Amino acid sequence: MKWAIETRDMKKHFGEIRAVNGLELKVKRGETYGILGPNGSGKTTTIKLLCGLIRKDSGSARVLGCDIPDKKVMNRVGYMPQETAVYLDNTVHENLQMFADIYGMSRELFARREEEMLHFVDLSDRKNCLVTTLSGGMKHRVSLACSLIHDPELLFLDEPTVGVDPELRATFWHYFEELSKRGVTVVITTHYMDEASHCTRVGMIRLGQLIAEGSPAELLRATGCTSLEDAFLKLARRDDK
Amino acid sequence: MNIRRMLAFTRRMLLQFRHDRRTLGFIIAMPLLMMLIFGYTFGGDPSNLKVAVVNLDEPVALPMGSERSFADTVVENLDDDTFDLEVYSSLEEARSDLEDGKIWGIIHFPANFTSNLVLDLPPAGNGSVPSTIGVYLDDSNPNIAGVVMSGVQMAVKDTVTSTLEDMGMEQGTEPVQMNVVNLYASERDIEFIDYFAPGVISFAIMMVTTMITIILFVFERRNGTLQRLLASPATEGEIVTGYALAFACIGVMQSLVIMTAAILIFDITIAGSLLLALLVVVLLAIGHQGLGIMLSSAARNELQAIQFVPLVLFPSVLLAGLFWPVESIPQYLQPVSYLIPLRYGIDAERSIMIRGWGICEIWPQVTVLVLFAVLTLGLSVLILKKRR
């Protein structure tokens, strides 16, 4: 099975607002796919639809070969929301333990994965600290570790670098590239156009529709621009016409 | 102090309420609601107390020529607002209903009540065979037992006084004796703390569980943890039940602390099963946790969440029989108390701890609490599903 994600004419309306309007999306297994678009373009709604957090109005969507929403497939999926989304009054270990229990991990497997993940996000020495005592950047790293504890095949990251300082953003992209090398499919939403250059492929969305798709180099070549930001603006103007 | 800067804060704060009409409505409506609830529920005397009358008295021909039963007069003199009298033909039948908690007391007139009273009245009165009334009281609620007792005393006094006046005599010694039988105090002294402790336990569980759940779930939504849970294999039912169990544990811990303090410091005794008392606490905690989740879904932020506190708190405090019996709130408000789950928790805890009742006696209250828990948990799951 080639596709990790496959949507056809997926639509989601909130009253008069067409948040996702006939989205056609295909993400290959093992690639890092960036969903790129300005605020309000439908990025977060797309991720929520694919995670089964909200139901689509029409169209089809398959994740790892399963029609969604499907609770079973969520065992193989990780999700990191925009917010910190960890329990501040629990320790790092307690947060990881809860998610490990939710994913039905054995004690031995959890012990190994916890060590790996804490090393991965550079928090080994903070295992027993209350999350509330950690810095903002560390909290984000705990959140990432919680998304990865069960070794997912597919990871959804909803604007993971919003409000994150440049140094941590660079660190996060290093993490995502590492995950991609390990064969994890990473779907990441961002409105930072420069960040998208780290992705294998990028889908530019606007008003809930895909307006262009390809590798960063392909998109630059097709638009004749030197930056993805310029390429997006050029494509958006063309779309308006 | 810079007045302009200071007023800038004031202005911003007041403008905030323009955008949050619900909070503005709450600020205006809540004091009004509090005034109405407190005004109508505080300070009333218990009324419409179900009390049995077992009247075996036989009429006696009086010196004035008429035939009369003084027991009838005592019954007539009982206050209509305080008592809701039911006539029983035998004392045994009435005692059975008293023990089952169906009535608050029994007023028993023996067959020779009037004849003994006539013999005892001056000038013939010698006090050798005193006229007696048997008063049997369910003293699990000291307030109500006190009201029943004083109501009977008042009626007897009025009867004796008016009779002597009719006969043109002056009252000498007390011509009627009361044999008071307390249903529970024969084994131990029932004090107000015995009545109060079960209420405090139930109330603490309700308050802590509802309030923490409301705040917790608003935080879960705003912090993104709930989304993360819903995007995992965990089902809505598992999430709700998991939290319910946590609150049940907290409820049990709280109850044990309160009971231990009440036993060690205030010397109360628990007449019934401790396990049954804890089961009621668990049901209360689970039900109110469900209620908390439901209410939290209607709040966008912590400020709106906190507004539910008085909405849950005041009706429960005032109408569930925590401080004063439900019978003392106005009659038209009494049916509302049936809608408050805390009432059933308090009733059940009091029956277990004071009367020593078991599940065979408190099953109606337990059933209501089970239904409440199932309903609120079911609705909580539906609410979480509906957000999808």
Side-chain angles (χ1 to χ4, degrees):
Chain A
M1 193 196 315
K2 187 180 173 186
W3 305 111
I5 295 168
E6 199 178 356
T7 72
R8 281 196 188 144
D9 197 26
M10 187 168 72
K11 287 181 181 169
K12 180 68 188 177
H13 296 185
F14 295 107
E16 294 296 304
I17 299 164
R18 295 172 180 179
V20 173
N21 193 21
L23 189 66
E24 304 273 348
L25 199 67
K26 282 185 173 179
V27 178
K28 287 179 200 161
R29 283 180 176 264
E31 73 176 347
T32 300
Y33 189 94
I35 300 177
L36 188 62
N39 291 328
S41 59
K43 301 186 299 293
T44 295
T45 306
T46 301
I47 292 275
K48 284 185 175 177
L49 285 166
L50 294 173
C51 285
L53 285 169
I54 48 176
R55 288 181 191 277
K56 60 187 181 302
D57 294 332
S58 61
S60 70
R62 288 175 73 80
V63 169
L64 299 174
C66 299
D67 289 320
I68 50 127
D70 181 346
K71 275 282 175 191
K72 281 180 200 152
V73 81
M74 297 319 289
N75 260 319
R76 298 152 63 196
V77 175
Y79 168 59
M80 180 174 158
Q82 275 183 32
E83 302 85 359
T84 318
V86 285
Y87 295 97
L88 303 178
D89 295 320
N90 288 96
T91 65
V92 175
H93 167 74
E94 287 164 353
N95 271 279
L96 292 171
Q97 174 82 67
M98 190 195 77
F99 285 103
D101 288 338
I102 287 173
Y103 290 101
M105 294 170 69
S106 69
R107 193 179 290 181
E108 296 75 25
L109 179 61
F110 169 61
R112 199 177 72 236
R113 283 292 296 170
E114 182 182 38
E115 200 175 320
E116 271 176 37
M117 281 304 100
L118 290 176
H119 178 71
F120 182 64
V121 297
D122 199 18
L123 286 173
S124 296
D125 57 338
R126 305 289 177 139
K127 180 178 165 182
N128 293 313
C129 290
L130 282 178
V131 174
T132 192
T133 62
L134 303 180
S135 68
M138 286 177 178
K139 285 174 187 155
H140 272 87
R141 283 188 267 158
V142 175
S143 179
L144 180 61
C146 289
S147 316
L148 291 170
I149 191 70
H150 59 298
D151 199 10
E153 294 169 47
L154 170 63
L155 179 62
F156 288 109
L157 301 159
D158 190 8
E159 308 238 20
T161 54
V162 168
V164 171
D165 66 69
E167 198 177 340
L168 185 61
R169 276 167 65 184
T171 311
F172 263 33
W173 277 104
H174 168 70
Y175 293 154
F176 304 151
E177 282 161 7
E178 276 294 310
L179 289 169
S180 188
K181 281 180 198 165
R182 296 179 191 187
V184 178
T185 308
V186 179
V187 176
I188 184 163
T189 67
T190 181
H191 62 259
Y192 295 129
M193 306 285 172
D194 57 319
E195 284 190 343
S197 58
H198 294 277
C199 298
T200 323
R201 284 198 310 140
V202 171
M204 291 183 167
I205 70 167
R206 185 167 178 265
L207 303 174
Q209 285 179 318
L210 199 63
I211 57 169
E213 192 180 41
S215 69
E218 283 170 352
L219 289 170
L220 292 176
R221 207 165 34 243
T223 54
C225 298
T226 52
S227 72
L228 282 172
E229 189 164 334
D230 289 341
F232 180 85
L233 291 171
K234 194 170 182 178
L235 287 163
R237 280 189 208 111
R238 191 191 296 166
D239 190 46
D240 278 343
K241 288 173 190 170
Chain B
M1 183 184 282
N2 184 313
I3 300 286
R4 190 178 168 187
R5 276 206 299 264
M6 187 187 74
L7 289 178
F9 301 128
T10 312
R11 185 166 175 268
R12 187 212 63 79
M13 186 69 203
L14 292 175
L15 284 173
Q16 181 184 329
F17 292 125
R18 265 182 54 186
H19 304 300
D20 189 350
R21 297 278 167 87
R22 204 168 104 181
T23 302
L24 186 63
F26 170 80
I27 291 168
I28 295 165
M30 186 43 63
L32 185 64
L33 186 66
M34 280 170 62
M35 185 60 224
L36 291 174
I37 294 178
F38 274 99
Y40 281 118
T41 55
F42 247 120
D45 288 325
S47 59
N48 281 70
L49 302 174
K50 275 199 172 15
V51 170
V53 174
V54 182
N55 189 356
L56 309 176
D57 187 31
E58 287 159 6
V60 168
L62 294 179
M64 302 91 87
S66 60
E67 193 174 72
R68 196 166 162 189
S69 159
F70 284 118
D72 290 343
T73 314
V74 173
V75 172
E76 279 165 21
N77 282 337
L78 288 167
D79 183 42
D80 288 343
D81 291 334
T82 307
F83 293 97
D84 176 9
L85 298 174
E86 287 192 25
V87 177
Y88 284 68
S89 52
S90 78
L91 185 59
E92 289 69 30
E93 190 191 348
R95 280 205 70 147
S96 165
D97 278 3
L98 184 70
E99 282 161 15
D100 290 346
K102 291 178 185 165
I103 50 177
W104 285 109
I106 304 168
I107 308 168
H108 171 235
F109 299 95
N112 51 8
F113 175 72
T114 299
S115 59
N116 285 347
L117 184 61
V118 171
L119 286 174
D120 214 27
L121 287 174
N126 55 19
S128 56
V129 189
S131 182
T132 57
I133 295 179
V135 181
Y136 298 79
L137 295 170
D138 175 351
D139 56 331
S140 63
N141 185 328
N143 277 354
I144 289 186
V147 169
V148 172
M149 193 60 215
S150 64
V152 176
Q153 282 171 333
M154 192 86 78
V156 169
K157 191 178 172 195
D158 288 350
T159 305
V160 172
T161 308
S162 62
T163 306
L164 290 172
E165 273 176 14
D166 288 349
M167 297 167 81
M169 300 170 194
E170 283 183 19
Q171 188 175 343
T173 55
E174 198 65 54
V176 178
Q177 284 186 5
M178 293 213 194
N179 290 339
V180 181
V181 179
N182 287 312
L183 200 57
Y184 302 103
S186 54
E187 294 157 25
R188 60 199 174 92
D189 284 341
I190 306 287
E191 293 176 16
F192 188 68
I193 188 68
D194 291 277
Y195 170 76
F196 197 50
V200 170
I201 289 170
S202 309
F203 179 67
I205 305 306
M206 183 219 73
M207 268 302 291
V208 168
T209 309
T210 313
M211 297 315 139
I212 292 183
T213 309
I214 292 175
I215 304 288
L216 197 79
F217 266 75
V218 169
F219 171 80
E220 290 252 16
R221 285 206 175 88
R222 281 165 68 82
N223 186 44
T225 43
L226 187 61
Q227 293 216 341
R228 178 170 244 157
L229 296 181
L230 292 172
S232 77
T235 63
E236 291 82 356
E238 287 165 352
I239 296 169
V240 168
T241 315
Y243 276 104
L245 287 176
F247 280 105
C249 293
I250 293 169
V252 168
M253 274 193 308
Q254 278 188 311
S255 308
L256 289 175
V257 168
I258 296 171
M259 283 178 190
T260 309
I263 291 167
L264 295 179
I265 303 169
F266 298 106
D267 198 28
I268 71 157
T269 50
I270 299 172
S273 157
L274 177 64
L275 279 179
L276 191 57
L278 292 178
L279 171 76
V280 171
V281 160
V282 165
L283 289 174
L284 261 181
I286 292 175
H288 282 96
Q289 185 249 350
L291 182 69
I293 297 178
M294 286 165 59
L295 293 175
S296 76
S297 71
R300 281 202 319 267
N301 51 46
E302 284 82 354
L303 183 64
Q304 290 191 348
I306 212 80
Q307 293 165 19
F308 288 116
V309 175
L311 279 180
V312 177
L313 179 74
F314 290 122
S316 297
V317 168
L318 299 169
L319 300 174
L322 173 62
F323 296 113
W324 50 85
V326 172
E327 286 79 358
S328 67
I329 59 178
Q331 215 178 340
Y332 59 88
L333 274 177
Q334 286 183 21
V336 180
S337 75
Y338 288 104
L339 300 174
I340 297 172
L342 182 65
R343 176 190 169 146
Y344 302 94
I346 292 175
D347 272 358
E349 290 290 1
R350 281 192 182 134
S351 295
I352 296 164
M353 292 172 67
I354 303 174
R355 293 166 162 157
W357 283 4
I359 190 71
C360 294
E361 289 86 7
I362 64 157
W363 68 264
Q365 288 92 333
V366 170
T367 305
V368 172
L369 291 176
V370 168
L371 289 176
F372 171 59
V374 170
L375 183 73
T376 57
L377 291 190
L379 287 173
S380 302
V381 170
L382 282 180
I383 284 168
L384 289 183
K385 277 185 192 280
K386 206 179 163 203
R387 293 177 69 87
R388 296 195 165 214

